[in-house]
Amino acid sequence: MTDTPGQRGSYYERHIFFCLNHRDTGEASCAQHQAQEAFDHCKRLVKTQGLAGPGQVRVNKAGCLDRCAGGPVCVVYPEAVWYTYVDQADVEEIVESHLKHGVVVERLITPAHLGR
Amino acid sequence: MTDTPGQRGSYYERHIFFCLNHRDTGEASCAQHQAQEAFDHCKRLVKTQGLAGPGQVRVNKAGCLDRCAGGPVCVVYPEAVWYTYVDQADVEEIVESHLKHGVVVERLITPAHLGR
């Protein structure tokens, strides 16, 4: 049975995942770069602005997204847009522009060549 | 600056997130339903079949996806297809059909009304 993905509505209009991975080995990981604080800030902003929930936005914790060289990273689906953020102002811009209005924040996009 | 999401290629062709949330409160959570084992099984299958990596498939841990009533759940992006799996055979079917060949496994789709 074949099927065309995407015919159904998405349960969340936008689903953002923050890598919160922590490494004890001394290797770089997003958790060393205030990923938890960024996640908390994003979650709080989305909630207080009434954007959270089915049909709207979900802010999610994730394990290693395997793009450590671009970290700290988050990814917004279904658009599959990856961001490298530096501070809380970056998170605020992602929420206001992308999560709220669907406009990608070009300046924060993770360079395509950066993987693990 | 406006932009059309999706113009760029997706870093992963398919990105599957397993809810591994565990609750200590006695409330239902995916971790009570062999979510970790399902994640491990999926990860192993994808790796051994050479499907893992950029341009291909990423199997990811996630925190609560907030569809506990349909749990244990996983979601495949960018298609935004949600699955409720029961056993390892279900996971194998998701890998073989959806992750490998892009064909949605209709019988495992999480009913639309099931949220938290």
Side-chain angles (χ1 to χ4, degrees), chain B residues 13-48:
Chain B
E13 185 182 20
R14 296 194 176 88
H15 201 165
I16 183 169
F17 294 87
F18 281 82
C19 177
L20 298 184
N21 196 45
H22 174 77
R23 294 185 197 282
D24 292 320
T25 56
E27 291 175 275
S29 63
C30 291
Q32 296 168 344
H33 299 278
Q34 285 70 52
Q36 180 70 49
E37 290 78 359
F39 166 80
D40 290 341
H41 192 50
C42 185
K43 190 104 179 161
R44 193 166 44 237
L45 287 171
V46 165
K47 193 169 181 182
T48 57

Side-chain angles (χ1 to χ4, degrees), chain A residues 1 12 15 58 64-65 103, chain B residues 1 12 58 64-65 77 103:
Chain A
M1 176 171 51
Y12 298 119
H15 201 164
R58 172 73 182 169
C64 182
L65 296 170
V103 179
Chain B
M1 177 171 50
Y12 297 119
R58 172 73 182 168
C64 183
L65 295 170
Y77 283 111
V103 180

